[in-house]
Amino acid sequence: PVQAPGAQFSSPSEKEDKVNPAHVCGVKKRVHSKLPNPGNELRGGCGGEQVHDGEKRGPRGIHCGSSVYKNKPDSADLREIFELENEKKDRSLVTHDDLFAHAAKDSKTKANFNRVVDVFNKKDIRRRGHVEFIYAALKKMPEFGVERDIAVYNKLLDVFPKEVFVPRNFIQRMFNHYPRQQECGVQLLEQMESYGIMPNVETKVLLVQIFGEKSHPMRKYQRIMYWFPKFKNTNPFPVPYELPQDPVDLARFSLIRIANDLDAKITVYQLPSTDITETGEEVTQPHIVGIQSPEQQSLLSKHNPNRPVFVEGPFPLWLRKTCVHYYLLRADPAPPEEKTEQEPDPELIGPEQSLFYPQHIDLDLNRDLGDDDSFDVVDVEEGPVYAMCMAGQSDQATLARWICGLQETNPVLGRVPTVFRLESGTRELQMAADVQHDSEQNTEPGTEQEHNIEEETLHSQGMKQ
């Protein structure tokens, strides 16, 4: 045995009892570094391990045994282990959007959406990652068409663990017990509110089981139940959730909503159709739907034939998430010399008129004593609107057919010049080349058809079809 520096022994037996193995290992290292390395000589290591020349080993540290280096992989194995760890991390960070994307490959239906929720519920009894899953589900609901289904919202609330986030004392209630989960519950109720979905009794029971009665989601539920019945029927012209799919029915609904006149009459001038020519080409005829009230007809009959009328558009109209476009037949305001004051009805001025409720009062009712006179309000006079229409195409040829159809009930249009002021809107417009191609197809040899519409004036009497 090699004596460690600073160690004193009285007898050989004490050497075996009091020697420190760490010191011996360190001394062996220093000794072997100076001595030559014979073929079958013992090399440094604790525990009496023998190493022969046939074994090839790299250099190792002082405090590491040879067993560590015996199982240590090379650089290629390290690269594989690193890639495997990265794959595990990527799998752990996979969002729940992939679940819905995989379910949407077949079809985006309510059954597939519920199947994804059931798979998540059965995956882990502790519902790990339920907050991220609910946020992902709320984002995917419009794609599956279940954003207005109260049963689906209750199914998402059922994903939360029950009686875990309920505060046990007033201190937990005061310091917003489990704020992340409460914020997720409030977000779910806010999406229900934005789509106009009224919570039911099942929603309340789930919220009480999940968050308790004194929580932020429960307060949000109480506010919704208070205000929704008050604003449910405030709109006198409600828009249905499911709009008509037929373009003619949608145009009828939109024009009635714009006109707001019970006496207005809707006329379908042309239905959508597809014709096949002799050459085998398909020619699509767009729909043309117009509306006009008796009062508008009377105003148009009094229009001066020397002053033109204008066809303007398209103007957008939004019906929830659907945008439609309409066109107007209007005129400029009449000059002062052509204005005539309407005489009051003699029946209202005669002896039958009530003295307590007079029909005519010579008072300036536009301003009150409490009004602010520091600014002036300028009333801009607009010209009359004679008719409105919706068409499948926005070209001049299609709208010219609308004007020709209006001549049957308004003969004055045959003597009034018509000017088209069309703008390119966001909808698909027919290109100028397509308009010219359609006009050439509609023109038959031997017939006198004129579709040359001037930019400034258009005499509607000269238009023939």
Side-chain angles (χ1 to χ4, degrees):
V2 182
Q3 180 178 352
Q8 297 179 0
F9 304 100
S10 58
S11 63
S13 61
E14 289 182 74
K15 294 179 183 178
E16 299 177 0
D17 297 336
K18 298 183 179 180
V19 70
N20 191 347
H23 292 169
V24 175
C25 293
V27 173
K28 282 186 179 182
K29 277 290 182 180
R30 289 195 293 270
V31 172
H32 291 162
S33 63
K34 295 179 181 179
L35 296 177
N37 191 7
N40 54 359
E41 183 186 359
L42 284 172
R43 287 188 285 189
C46 301
E49 180 184 359
Q50 295 183 0
V51 182
H52 300 281
D53 286 340
E55 300 180 7
K56 296 180 181 180
R57 295 182 182 174
R60 57 186 176 85
I62 297 175
H63 300 287
C64 297
S66 60
S67 61
V68 177
Y69 290 90
K70 190 181 296 183
N71 299 327
K72 186 173 182 180
D74 55 0
S75 60
D77 296 337
L78 285 174
R79 192 180 301 109
E80 293 178 0
I81 293 174
F82 182 73
E83 292 177 357
L84 183 61
E85 290 179 354
N86 287 339
E87 290 179 1
K88 290 181 179 179
K89 290 181 180 178
D90 294 340
R91 290 174 185 173
S92 62
L93 294 177
V94 169
T95 59
H96 299 286
D97 296 342
D98 297 340
L99 297 175
F100 294 97
H102 181 71
K105 291 181 180 179
D106 300 334
S107 60
K108 296 182 179 180
T109 58
K110 178 181 176 180
N112 288 338
F113 189 90
N114 291 335
R115 183 167 55 85
V116 174
V117 178
D118 294 336
V119 168
F120 179 81
N121 290 336
K122 297 176 182 178
K123 183 179 179 181
D124 188 3
I125 192 174
R126 295 179 178 84
R127 310 288 173 84
R128 292 186 180 93
H130 61 276
V131 174
E132 292 79 5
F133 176 79
I134 292 175
Y135 278 127
L138 291 176
K139 186 174 62 175
K140 294 292 183 179
M141 287 181 73
E143 297 183 11
F144 287 81
V146 293
E147 69 275 8
R148 300 185 184 278
D149 196 337
I150 184 62
V152 177
Y153 285 103
N154 292 336
K155 195 175 187 64
L156 287 180
L157 278 177
D158 197 23
V159 174
F160 283 102
K162 306 301 184 295
E163 299 181 0
V164 178
F165 312 126
V166 180
R168 304 301 178 184
N169 48 54
F170 73 95
I171 297 178
Q172 292 181 350
R173 288 194 297 268
M174 184 171 54
F175 285 99
N176 196 9
H177 196 50
Y178 286 95
R180 193 159 172 263
Q181 283 74 12
Q182 291 196 46
E183 183 181 356
C184 181
V186 172
Q187 184 67 29
L188 188 145
L189 293 174
E190 284 183 354
Q191 181 164 330
M192 293 177 59
E193 182 182 8
S194 62
Y195 285 107
I197 306 301
M198 177 77 74
N200 54 14
V201 180
E202 184 180 357
T203 308
K204 180 181 179 181
V205 173
L206 288 171
L207 290 174
V208 172
Q209 290 179 354
I210 299 168
F211 302 105
E213 295 184 356
K214 302 294 183 179
S215 59
H216 293 287
M218 196 62 191
R219 290 184 180 180
K220 182 67 178 177
Y221 166 82
Q222 292 172 352
R223 293 190 181 101
I224 291 176
M225 296 302 294
Y226 177 79
W227 288 108
F228 261 40
K230 294 181 180 296
F231 294 110
K232 186 176 181 180
N233 300 318
T234 53
N235 188 4
F237 306 101
V239 180
Y241 294 115
E242 299 294 335
L243 294 174
Q245 299 297 328
D246 187 12
V248 177
D249 295 338
L250 183 61
R252 287 176 177 172
F253 175 78
S254 304
L255 291 174
I256 291 175
R257 188 176 181 84
I258 297 172
N260 193 19
D261 190 351
L262 298 178
D263 297 332
K265 181 181 179 182
I266 292 181
T267 306
V268 180
Y269 297 98
Q270 182 173 291
L271 291 173
S273 61
T274 302
D275 299 333
I276 300 177
T277 59
E278 297 179 356
T279 59
E281 297 181 0
E282 294 184 357
V283 180
T284 303
Q285 301 293 338
H287 67 277
I288 303 175
V289 182
I291 188 171
Q292 191 179 31
S293 64
E295 184 179 0
Q296 290 175 329
Q297 290 183 4
S298 62
L299 289 176
L300 184 57
S301 62
K302 299 176 184 178
H303 183 78
N304 187 0
N306 297 325
R307 297 174 54 247
V309 293
F310 304 96
V311 177
E312 297 181 352
F315 301 104
L317 172 66
W318 283 94
L319 300 173
R320 296 194 182 277
K321 293 184 178 181
T322 304
C323 182
V324 294
H325 296 79
Y326 64 95
Y327 301 87
L328 299 177
L329 177 65
R330 56 171 296 274
D332 289 335
E337 58 271 10
E338 295 184 6
K339 292 183 178 180
T340 57
E341 295 184 358
Q342 296 181 357
E343 297 181 357
D345 192 354
E347 296 181 358
L348 300 178
I349 304 178
E352 297 180 358
Q353 180 183 2
S354 176
L355 299 177
F356 297 98
Y357 300 99
Q359 299 294 330
H360 181 70
I361 303 177
D362 295 333
L363 294 176
D364 188 8
L365 300 179
N366 293 329
R367 293 187 177 275
D368 196 3
L369 297 176
D371 292 343
D372 187 8
D373 297 335
S374 60
F375 62 92
D376 296 332
V377 179
V378 179
D379 295 332
V380 179
E381 185 178 0
E382 296 182 354
V385 177
Y386 296 136
M388 289 183 295
C389 86
M390 285 187 176
Q393 295 179 357
S394 302
D395 57 296
Q396 293 183 359
T398 302
L399 297 175
R401 298 173 192 170
W402 172 49
I403 299 299
C404 293
L406 283 174
Q407 290 183 11
E408 298 178 2
T409 55
N410 302 275
V412 70
L413 287 176
R415 306 187 304 270
V416 177
T418 306
V419 181
F420 289 83
R421 295 177 178 176
L422 303 180
E423 299 178 357
S424 60
T426 56
R427 65 185 306 178
E428 297 180 359
L429 301 180
Q430 188 177 13
M431 304 302 294
D434 297 339
V435 176
Q436 184 178 2
H437 181 67
D438 294 341
S439 61
E440 291 176 359
Q441 290 181 350
N442 294 332
T443 304
E444 298 179 0
T447 59
E448 298 180 357
Q449 292 186 348
E450 298 179 358
H451 292 287
N452 299 325
I453 304 174
E454 300 179 0
E455 294 182 357
E456 296 296 333
T457 59
L458 172 66
H459 200 283
S460 58
Q461 188 175 4
M463 293 176 53
K464 299 179 181 178
Q465 291 189 351

